[in-house]
């Protein structure tokens, strides 16, 4: 088990209009991140749920698991999630992420991208229970995948692409969810598995 609190405490602010974005390339070392990847891969009760997007229902192109406090049920795309209780490893990661970002979180969505065909389409995390200006911290473990952002209202605004590397943390805050969409697209070449943890706060 890696020392979860030995990670560097630094976030680099990224230039973006209409929102806040920050990135830590190696919050966990490659060895720490790989150990966490294998532990979560083997101990998480992964599931593949149907979601409804634009009136059509299909299975999510990835596996997920939802953890959190007792009052942190979450709904998106017609899917209702009740949280699993926090296991010790996720609590330790949550504390480290809170120390890094100086925000508190009461829930986390785990996503398992099994290969290059797993993905998440264009969307914003703007459900009402996330509040008016959601703060979302995204930890990546395993294979590097492209994270793409595009502005909702300014077609001339240049899209952004960020390589989410093993052990990195991306922080989204401010008005980002209001004005931007993001996606992890399918890839044309082989990619091994990746686990993404998105820490957030549910408000009631």
């Amino acid at each position: 088990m890696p020392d979860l609190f030995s990670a560097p405490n630094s976030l680099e602010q990224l230039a973006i209009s209409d929102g806040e974005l920050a990135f830590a390339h190696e919050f966990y070392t490659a060895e720490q991140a790989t150990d966490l990847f294998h532990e979560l891969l083997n101990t998480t009760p992964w599931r593949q749920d149907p979601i409804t997007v634009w009136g059509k229902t299909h299975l999510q192109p990835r596996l997920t698991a939802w953890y959190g406090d007792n009052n942190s049920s979450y709904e998106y795309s017609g899917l209702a999630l009740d949280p699993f209780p926090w296991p010790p490893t996720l609590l330790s990661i949550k504390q480290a992420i809170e120390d890094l970002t100086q925000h508190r979180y009461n829930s986390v969505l785990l996503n398992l991208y099994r290969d290059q065909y797993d993905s998440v389409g264009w969307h914003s995390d703007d459900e009402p229970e996330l509040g008016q200006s959601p703060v979302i911290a995204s930890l990546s473990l395993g294979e590097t995948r492209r994270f793409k952002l595009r502005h909702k209202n300014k077609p001339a605004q240049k899209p952004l692409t960020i390589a989410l590397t093993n052990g990195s943390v991306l922080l989204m805050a401010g008005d980002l969810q209001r004005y931007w969409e993001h996606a992890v697209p399918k890839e044309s070449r082989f990619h091994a598995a990746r686990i993404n943890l998105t820490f957030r706060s549910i408000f009631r």
Side-chain angles (χ1 to χ4, degrees):
M1 183 67 188
D3 179 3
L4 300 180
F5 295 97
S6 66
N9 187 23
S10 61
L11 276 167
E12 177 188 357
Q13 297 298 317
L14 303 181
I16 192 169
S17 63
D18 302 326
E20 299 174 22
L21 199 61
F23 187 61
H25 172 65
E26 194 177 50
F27 180 62
Y28 288 120
T29 67
E31 181 179 3
Q32 290 172 328
T34 299
D35 287 346
L36 287 172
F37 170 84
H38 288 296
E39 178 176 348
L40 294 176
L41 179 67
N42 294 319
T43 61
T44 301
W46 300 107
R47 50 194 273 183
Q48 187 175 26
D49 292 304
I51 58 172
T52 301
V53 180
W54 302 113
K56 295 183 178 181
T57 300
H58 57 86
L59 289 175
Q60 291 188 93
R62 62 194 179 281
L63 305 185
T64 64
W66 179 251
Y67 290 86
D69 297 349
N70 290 331
N71 61 344
S72 61
S73 297
Y74 184 46
E75 296 184 16
Y76 68 93
S77 301
L79 178 64
L81 299 175
D82 290 322
F84 293 113
W86 294 99
T89 295
L90 285 184
L91 278 178
S92 296
I93 297 173
K94 182 172 84 79
Q95 181 63 61
I97 296 294
E98 288 177 341
D99 290 344
L100 172 72
T101 64
Q102 295 299 295
H103 288 278
R104 295 293 172 258
Y105 309 98
N106 62 14
S107 52
V108 63
L109 178 65
L110 276 66
N111 294 279
L112 171 59
Y113 297 81
R114 296 162 291 183
D115 54 32
Q116 69 272 24
Y117 302 114
D118 278 358
S119 63
V120 60
W122 289 106
H123 71 286
S124 299
D125 295 317
D126 55 3
E127 290 78 16
E129 57 265 43
L130 295 178
Q132 290 188 342
S133 300
V135 177
I136 298 175
S138 174
L139 169 66
S140 294
L141 304 171
E143 184 83 348
T144 298
R145 291 291 294 265
R146 291 181 300 148
F147 184 83
K148 303 180 73 69
L149 299 105
R150 67 184 184 188
H151 202 285
K152 297 179 185 180
N153 307 320
K154 299 178 182 177
Q157 177 75 52
K158 184 179 179 180
L160 299 176
T161 299
I162 301 171
L164 298 182
T165 52
N166 187 27
S168 66
V169 172
L170 181 70
L171 182 67
M172 299 179 285
D175 290 330
L176 193 78
Q177 304 301 328
R178 183 179 306 172
Y179 292 108
W180 291 79
E181 295 178 311
H182 54 271
V184 177
K186 299 181 188 301
E187 300 285 352
S188 58
R189 64 177 180 83
F190 173 75
H191 279 64
R194 166 184 181 256
I195 294 175
N196 170 239
L197 299 82
T198 52
F199 291 88
R200 58 194 75 196
S201 292
I202 302 296
F203 298 96
R204 297 297 176 197

